[in-house]
Amino acid sequence: MRMIFIGPPGAGKGTQATALVQRYGIPHISTGDMLRAAVAAKTELGVKVEAVMNSGQLVGDDLMVGLVKERIAAPDAAKGFLLDGFPRTVPQAKALTDAGVQLDVVLLLEVPDDLLASRVTGRRKDPETGTIYHLQFDPPSADIAHRLVQRDDDTEVKVRERLGAYHAQTAPIVPIYEEAGLLLRIDGVGSPSEVAGRIGAALDRHTNR
Ligand code: ADP
Ligand code: ADP
């Protein structure tokens, strides 16, 4: 199962990815997580991308395409993968097609802009387990609350910048996958379990058609 998850920042891609990768036994490949790990480790890549990520802009296509091609060539991705955060531009989508990657499905998680700022600014992550929480919508238990961390780019100002990048540079990839008959539009408004139910039902319909 080779699948792509598209959606604006804070739509719930990471949250929903956990159940999907379990269902299909595939790795969750989040380019945002890969870049953040490189920044934290101060690798050559991390040093190169840190300022761009902090500005809410997108990292260059050539760099991203190289990174993803290498990752999906790894043995654990041989039977499939869930790509989260890539492709994010038309050239990135074209590069994936040109590399001969055969996709099974593309999920588009749709959430209106006015709901996204609160999702993003309340987001916290447990660095020990990787679990994503939300201060209001999915609060952590008291015993772990102290160790949760917030992303540097999860501020009100930067989410506006990132949403601008999404609409200008990422939304144009949607018609490519729609025309290829791969796109499933999922309403991302509602509780995480409601959204998970919609994704499961849409995938069942898609794979049984
Ligand atoms: P993305 O990976 O698309 O940027 P996340 O999965 O990290 O988004 O979700 C962003 C924030 O919103 C997180 O704090 C998460 O706990 C919360 N969240 C995810 N899904 C929902 C939902 N359906 N309703 C309310 N909050 C949600
Ligand atoms: P979000 O939670 O907003 O969906 P991500 O964690 O996917 O964000 O990405 C965080 C940042 O990493 C982006 O704002 C961008 O700077 C960079 N990034 C991640 N994936 C890509 C990509 N495919 N192309 C360009 N930049 C990327």
Side-chain angles (χ1 to χ4, degrees):
M1 177 58 107
R2 295 189 177 82
M3 49 199 307
I4 289 180
F5 222 151
I6 307 175
K13 303 180 295 295
T15 302
Q16 298 297 334
T18 310
L20 283 173
V21 298
Q22 271 169 13
R23 171 173 172 176
Y24 294 105
I26 51 177
H28 174 205
I29 302 181
S30 157
T31 47
D33 284 349
M34 289 167 76
L35 296 175
R36 278 185 290 278
V39 170
K42 299 193 190 325
T43 63
E44 198 181 322
L45 170 71
V47 172
K48 218 182 267 178
V49 301
E50 187 170 16
V52 182
M53 289 181 76
N54 263 327
S55 73
Q57 304 279 320
L58 296 182
V59 173
D61 287 333
D62 290 348
L63 202 158
M64 293 309 303
V65 168
L67 190 70
V68 168
K69 274 193 186 167
E70 191 181 314
R71 179 63 188 88
I72 63 179
D76 69 326
K79 285 202 197 122
F81 48 75
L82 171 57
L83 267 180
D84 167 3
F86 184 98
R88 245 205 188 65
T89 64
V90 170
Q92 289 180 16
K94 291 220 165 98
L96 207 55
T97 309
D98 292 346
V101 176
Q102 301 278 338
L103 297 167
D104 296 294
V105 67
V106 176
L107 296 169
L108 172 64
L109 199 51
E110 298 184 297
V111 177
D113 282 10
D114 57 353
L115 294 184
L116 294 169
S118 59
R119 285 201 188 179
V120 169
T121 54
R123 169 162 52 192
R124 297 292 184 275
K125 187 172 181 174
D126 182 349
E128 284 183 30
T129 62
T131 309
I132 304 161
Y133 294 93
H134 191 284
L135 295 180
Q136 286 94 46
F137 310 140
D138 184 14
S141 60
D143 55 323
I144 61 160
H146 67 278
R147 69 177 192 222
L148 301 191
V149 293
Q150 183 175 23
R151 274 168 51 176
D152 290 341
D153 59 348
D154 275 352
T155 64
E156 190 94 40
V157 172
K158 286 175 191 169
V159 74
R160 245 177 273 133
E161 189 66 43
R162 286 155 61 204
L163 267 175
Y166 177 79
H167 290 297
Q169 291 168 274
T170 305
I173 72 176
V174 170
I176 298 176
Y177 295 120
E178 194 148 46
E179 279 156 28
L182 293 172
L183 192 79
L184 300 181
R185 289 177 186 271
I186 310 291
D187 177 5
V189 181
S191 70
S193 59
E194 279 170 334
V195 177
R198 287 178 202 139
I199 293 175
L203 282 170
D204 288 343
R205 281 195 301 273
H206 182 77
T207 46
N208 293 330
R209 64 186 182 169

